[in-house]
Amino acid sequence: MRGIAILGSTGSIGRQAIEVLSLHPDKFYVTALTAHKNADLLFEQVRALRPRMAALTGEEIPVPADLSFCQFCFGPDSLEKVARECEGQDVLAAVVGVAGLKAVMAARKAGKRILLANKETLVAGGEMVMQACPETEDGPTLLPVDSEHSAIFQCLQGADGNPYEKILLTASGGPFRTWEKERIQKATVAEAMGHPTWNMGAKITIDSASMFNKALEIIEAKWLFAARPEQIQVLIHPQSIVHSAIQFRDGAVIAQMGAPDMKVPILYAMSYPERLQTGARELDLPALGMLTFENPDLKKFPSIQMAYDALKTGGAAACVLNAANEEAAGAFLKGEIPFGRIYEIVDFALQKHGHLPARNLSDIDYADALARETARKML
Ligand code: NDP
Ligand code: MG
C-alpha cells in the first residue's frame, strides 16, 4: 500500500487523482488533503477518504464535529506542514502556482517522493528542486504528472539507456491557434476559457490560450530531462493524441499516445512502473482518421520564445517569467487587462528582473516578489 498526500485536492488534478486512486483501494490510501478556500469540498473529501491530516491554506474556519479524527491546519504555512508531517511515501503536488514550491522542498526534506503536477514549482526553482530530487536505488524521487512530461518519461522507458537527441513537445495550440494576432490581443475571458481538448483549472486554461503553458513546459522539460533548450522542439498537434515524443540519433522516434485524459499520467506517476486501470476511453485511431502537426507561430504566441530566452539567461529568469505570468493571467481572469497585455507584462518583468540569481529559496522569493510588484504596477 502506498500512502499519498494530495496537495490541492479540490482542484482539477486533485479531484481526478482521488477518482483514479479510489479505483485501487488495495494499492493506495490517502494520508492528507489540502485546499485553499473550498472548505465544503475539502470536508466532503476528508469525510470520504479519512486522511489523518488536512489543511486549508486560506482562512481558519470551524471544522465539523464528525471530522475530529483528522488534524486540520490553517493558513499559508499549513501546506508545508502537511507536506513535511504527513504519513506515507508520496506527495502529489497539485496546487496551482509557485505557492507549491516550499511544500515540495519540505516534502523532499522529509524523504517523500514527489508526484509533480505543479509545474510552476519546477519553473521557478528548477535547479534547487532537481538537486533535492536525485535518482536513488529505489528509483526516481520526482515523477512527472504533466501529460507531456509523463509522455516523455514513458518514452524514455523504451530507450534502454540510449540518449535522446530531441524532445518533441506537443501542444494543442489552445483556442486561439487559428486566430489572427489582432483578434487574440482582444480575446475575452470566456473565449480564452474555451479549451478545445482539455478540461482544466482556470489558470492553466488561460496559460494554454496564451501558450505560456507551453513556455512553462519547455522549462519544465529542461529540468526534468536535463535537456539543452535547442533539444526541445514544440509541435502543435491540435488533436492532443500524441502527448509528446523523443527522437534518437538513428532517426527513430518513440511517441506516447492516448485519448486526452489526465487520469492516465496521474495514475502512472502513482503506480510507476506498474500500469493500472484508469477508466480512460480507449484510443480509437480509425475514428480519428488523421493526426496533424504544425510549427508554432512565434509571432502570434511570443511566450514560446520568452521561455527559450529565459533558459538562455538562466538564474532567476524563469522564476520572473512565471511570477509575472501568474499576476498577468490572474488580472486577465478578473477582467482587469486585455489578453494581449499578458505578453507585455511578462516581457517587461523579464527585461527588468531577468538577470537576478537563483541560488537558493531566498533568491527565488526575492525575484518572485520583484516580478510580481513590477507586473502589478503595469496592470
Ligand atoms: P485548479 O485551479 O483546478 O486547482 C488548484 C488547487 O490548488 C485547488 O485545490 C486549490 O484550492 C489549491 N490552491 C489554489 N491556490 C492555492 C494557494 N495559494 N495555496 C495553496 N493551494 C492553493 O488547478 P489545476 O488542478 O488545473 O492545476 C494544478 C496544477 O497542475 C497547476 O500547476 C497546473 O499547471 C498543473 N497541471 C494541471 C493540468 C490539468 O489538467 N488541470 C494538466 C497539467 C498540469 P481551492 O479549490 O480551495 O481554491
Ligand atoms: Mg501539459
Side-chain angles (χ1 to χ4, degrees):
M1 288 282 270
R2 290 197 82 88
I4 303 184
I6 305 178
L7 311 183
S9 61
T10 51
S12 159
I13 293 287
R15 282 180 277 120
Q16 293 181 83
I18 290 174
E19 213 181 300
V20 273
L21 70 75
S22 300
L23 297 174
H24 303 281
D26 54 323
K27 302 244 182 225
F28 309 110
Y29 67 102
V30 172
T31 60
L33 296 170
T34 82
H36 188 46
K37 289 186 181 147
N38 192 347
D40 289 345
L41 181 55
L42 180 68
F43 291 155
E44 201 182 295
Q45 292 176 337
V46 169
R47 201 165 278 127
L49 297 159
R50 306 189 70 81
R52 292 267 189 86
M53 280 188 99
L56 196 64
T57 46
E59 272 172 39
E60 176 156 4
I61 57 156
V63 176
D66 65 317
L67 303 183
S68 59
F69 60 86
C70 178
Q71 179 197 349
F72 274 84
C73 343
F74 297 91
D77 295 339
S78 61
L79 196 67
E80 264 175 271
K81 183 175 163 68
V82 165
R84 193 169 44 240
E85 295 177 15
C86 65
E87 296 169 42
Q89 303 92 331
D90 293 348
V91 169
L92 171 62
V95 304
V96 59
V98 82
L101 176 60
K102 286 180 187 150
V104 164
M105 294 304 287
R108 276 305 301 144
K109 253 197 180 148
K112 310 284 180 196
R113 193 173 74 153
I114 309 294
L115 318 179
L116 189 81
N118 178 216
K119 64 190 88 181
E120 295 91 343
T121 278
L122 205 49
V123 170
E127 191 164 6
M128 188 182 70
V129 173
M130 290 314 291
Q131 270 171 12
C133 298
E135 184 83 22
T136 66
E137 273 176 14
D138 299 330
T141 53
L142 174 65
L143 285 152
V145 170
D146 209 349
S147 59
E148 296 79 359
H149 304 75
S150 173
I152 297 160
F153 179 69
Q154 291 177 57
C155 295
L156 285 168
Q157 307 307 309
D160 272 335
N162 283 292
Y164 64 83
E165 291 256 289
K166 210 156 129 187
I167 289 173
L168 305 175
L169 186 71
T170 53
S172 72
F176 305 148
R177 179 177 61 92
T178 57
W179 287 29
E180 293 301 322
K181 188 169 177 161
E182 292 66 39
R183 192 173 162 213
I184 297 175
Q185 302 281 328
K186 295 184 208 123
T188 65
V189 172
E191 286 164 337
M193 286 302 286
H195 197 278
T197 48
W198 296 98
N199 184 8
M200 311 175 286
K203 191 254 177 184
I204 185 173
T205 304
I206 298 306
D207 285 352
S208 299
S210 64
M211 294 211 68
F212 266 110
N213 183 49
K214 212 46 56 181
L216 301 180
E217 290 185 356
I218 291 168
I219 300 166
E220 187 184 11
K222 178 230 146 71
W223 290 114
L224 283 172
F225 307 111
R228 295 190 307 279
E230 62 275 16
Q231 285 180 297
I232 306 169
Q233 181 186 348
V234 174
L235 264 187
I236 304 295
H237 168 47
Q239 298 82 13
S240 300
I241 298 296
V242 174
H243 299 306
S244 278
I246 53 176
Q247 186 179 307
F248 296 92
R249 63 178 155 213
D250 60 359
V253 173
I254 299 183
Q256 190 264 336
M257 306 203 287
D261 187 335
M262 282 309 295
K263 292 201 286 301
V264 178
I266 293 171
L267 190 59
Y268 188 66
M270 289 181 187
S271 66
Y272 167 82
E274 199 179 355
R275 289 186 183 273
L276 301 174
Q277 294 273 1
T278 56
R281 169 165 66 82
E282 210 174 279
L283 181 59
D284 185 352
L285 286 172
L288 278 162
M290 182 160 81
L291 299 178
T292 61
F293 301 89
E294 59 199 62
N295 286 318
D297 186 332
L298 303 187
K299 290 212 177 74
K300 263 172 31 180
F301 300 106
S303 35
I304 305 268
Q305 190 58 48
M306 285 185 211
Y308 286 112
D309 292 347
L311 284 181
K312 208 163 135 199
T313 307
C319 167
V320 167
L321 176 149
N322 176 66
N325 178 57
E326 281 190 30
E327 290 297 322
F332 171 72
L333 269 169
K334 284 190 234 146
E336 291 171 3
I337 52 167
F339 193 78
R341 189 92 173 126
I342 298 176
Y343 301 109
E344 292 167 15
I345 290 175
V346 178
D347 188 38
F348 185 69
L350 272 170
Q351 283 177 39
K352 215 164 162 208
H353 309 296
H355 293 276
L356 289 167
R359 293 158 301 201
N360 49 40
L361 208 47
S362 63
D363 279 354
I364 292 166
D365 267 348
Y366 181 70
D368 180 271
L370 274 187
R372 282 174 202 275
E373 193 186 303
T374 295
R376 276 191 223 112
K377 275 189 195 150
M378 282 183 77
L379 298 180

